[in-house]
Amino acid sequence: MEKYKKKELAAGLLAGLLAGGLFLALLFLFHWNFIVDMVLSISAFFGLSLLLKPKLKIGKISIDTLPEGETISRQLEEAQKDFHCIEQAMEQIHEPAVRQETQRLKETAKNILEYLEKHPEKIRSARQFIDYYQETASSLLKKYIELQDTQLRTDDVIQLQNNTLKAIGTLNTAFEEQFQKLMRSEMIDMEAEIRLLEQTVKMENGI
């Protein structure tokens, strides 16, 4: 979204420069009437702004072609932010077991987000993953890092760290189940193709 806003700003500036250039050319080179020149240049600015305005895309698909395109674009952006938090947290974790589970969490989240970028029409179906599971993982890991940085080793802290490891394991299972739900239609299609192939081979062999 930030890249899009920068492109949008650049397009607006370019439209302004072109419209300003047109105004000066018509006024000083061709000596047009000031009012007519002004109206024409303003019209040109708005026309160029629409023409040059970049299209916001998810992957290769323009959000204009998707129902509630701007909403799902914002949801994907939030999911990407949470993913980056998970990624950064993993780099700071000292405990090998927690780091390993977080690595697995990161890889699954990465695969889900890459899948959603290719299939943005399924982002709405991934709301549970985006709004709860991944956000919970991001929040939990942030707190874990804060606790780790205190360097406390009391029984309560050690117990909490062990509970965090179990929670990350639970999240890993949830992430994988969410991914499987998203890919269910593709899995069904593959199963249908396999059955069709088997039936075709049997028919050709007279079985």
Side-chain angles (χ1 to χ4, degrees):
M1 187 66 75
E2 290 181 3
K3 289 182 179 178
Y4 173 78
K5 289 180 179 178
K6 289 179 180 178
K7 289 181 179 179
E8 191 175 34
L9 178 60
L13 290 173
L14 180 58
L17 289 172
L18 292 173
L22 176 64
F23 174 80
L24 294 174
L26 293 177
L27 185 64
F28 294 108
L29 292 179
F30 299 99
H31 307 291
W32 279 37
N33 178 275
F34 179 84
I35 300 298
V36 174
D37 186 8
M38 179 66 74
V39 171
L40 184 61
S41 297
I42 291 173
S43 299
F45 170 74
F46 286 110
L48 287 167
S49 295
L50 290 173
L51 184 64
L52 297 172
K53 184 178 180 180
K55 291 186 177 181
L56 185 58
K57 294 182 178 181
I58 299 175
K60 296 182 180 180
I61 301 175
S62 173
I63 67 166
D64 295 335
T65 64
L66 298 169
E68 300 182 18
E70 290 188 6
T71 299
I72 64 174
S73 177
R74 285 195 296 270
Q75 288 177 329
L76 183 59
E77 185 180 10
E78 288 302 315
Q80 289 168 338
K81 287 180 181 178
D82 285 332
F83 170 75
H84 289 310
C85 287
I86 293 171
E87 191 174 38
Q88 290 170 2
M90 189 203 73
E91 297 298 328
Q92 299 175 59
I93 293 171
H94 300 156
E95 181 62 38
V98 178
R99 186 182 178 90
Q100 184 177 357
E101 283 295 294
T102 305
Q103 170 74 27
R104 179 182 158 201
L105 200 68
K106 189 201 83 168
E107 291 301 324
T108 307
K110 179 183 177 183
N111 290 335
I112 292 174
L113 292 179
E114 287 178 350
Y115 177 81
L116 291 176
E117 285 180 355
K118 292 178 182 177
H119 303 276
E121 72 280 0
K122 294 193 174 183
I123 291 175
R124 294 173 68 185
S125 301
R127 287 184 62 183
Q128 182 78 347
F129 167 75
I130 294 171
D131 295 340
Y132 180 70
Y133 288 116
Q134 192 175 235
E135 188 174 329
T136 298
S138 173
S139 175
L140 182 64
L141 288 170
K142 279 182 184 177
K143 292 173 182 176
Y144 178 85
I145 295 298
E146 290 174 1
L147 184 62
Q148 172 187 269
D149 290 345
T150 64
Q151 298 184 358
L152 289 171
R153 297 299 296 170
T154 63
D155 291 342
D156 287 343
V157 169
I158 292 171
Q159 181 62 46
L160 188 55
Q161 289 176 330
N162 291 334
N163 289 342
T164 301
L165 177 59
K166 292 178 183 177
I168 296 173
T170 300
L171 283 167
N172 267 315
T173 301
F175 273 36
E176 289 162 4
E177 288 176 350
Q178 290 289 307
F179 196 15
Q180 185 170 320
K181 286 179 182 178
L182 287 172
M183 291 194 65
R184 184 163 292 163
S185 60
E186 281 80 1
M187 293 168 69
I188 292 171
D189 289 343
M190 286 179 67
E191 288 174 353
E193 287 184 14
I194 291 169
R195 285 196 299 269
L196 179 60
L197 174 62
E198 291 172 345
Q199 291 170 2
T200 302
V201 171
K202 287 179 180 179
M203 290 175 62
E204 289 183 350
N205 294 331
I207 300 174

